[in-house]
Amino acid sequence: SIPKINVSAPVIQVDDSTDATILGALKKGVVLYPGSANPGQPGTAVIIGHSSSDLPWTEYSSVFSLLNKLQADDLIYVTVGGTQYTYRIRTVQKGSAQQLISSGLGDDLIVATCWPIGTDANRIAVSASLVR
């Protein structure tokens, strides 16, 4: 959940990163990207969600449309297996996927979506550090 932007969505874990699998899971919530760390564990957990999606829309079709409203020190909460992890945002960056990767983007949690809304031309990525 991200209280500042009124987001609450289930985190869906999938076994592969094919478009069909990811897009299917995004209809049910946000996705813990395959191969990334589990929240609360060493490494970087990467969670992706839609900023907008093709019709038919679901409850989660625009779940991350307000990521641009987030700022350093805002909080993100991720609950896995009954344990809630709290993350404090450090940065919000926009750019192509390659630009974000090249920037050294990394932290305990990355939350990302397509940007600007209605396109998949670029991305917005929020990096956050585990607080507890």
Side-chain angles (χ1 to χ4, degrees), residues 54-73:
D54 294 331
L55 296 173
W57 274 43
T58 70
E59 178 178 358
Y60 305 106
S61 291
S62 61
V63 67
F64 283 164
S65 63
L66 297 177
L67 287 186
N68 65 313
K69 303 288 185 195
L70 298 175
Q71 300 173 331
D73 294 326

Side-chain angles (χ1 to χ4, degrees), residues 105-129:
L105 180 68
D107 216 322
D108 298 320
L109 176 66
I110 303 294
V111 175
T113 193
C114 294
W115 196 259
I117 294 171
T119 76
D120 61 1
N122 288 299
R123 304 289 182 267
I124 184 169
V126 175
S127 65
S129 298

Side-chain angles (χ1 to χ4, degrees), residues 7 12 21 25 27 31 35 37-38 47-48 52 57 65 84-85 91-94 100 102 114 117 120 131-132:
V7 164
I12 311 298
T21 299
K27 292 177 182 175
V31 172
N38 283 319
I47 296 176
I48 60 171
S52 65
W57 274 43
S65 63
Q84 184 180 71
Y85 300 98
T91 64
V92 179
Q93 297 178 310
K94 296 174 188 169
L100 293 173
S102 298
C114 294
I117 294 171
D120 61 1
V131 176
R132 58 185 146 102

Side-chain angles (χ1 to χ4, degrees), residues 32-33 35-46 85 87 106-110 128-130:
L32 178 64
Y33 201 80
S36 68
N38 283 319
Q41 301 301 309
T44 302
V46 177
Y85 300 98
Y87 294 88
D107 216 322
D108 298 320
L109 176 66
I110 303 294
S129 298
L130 183 65

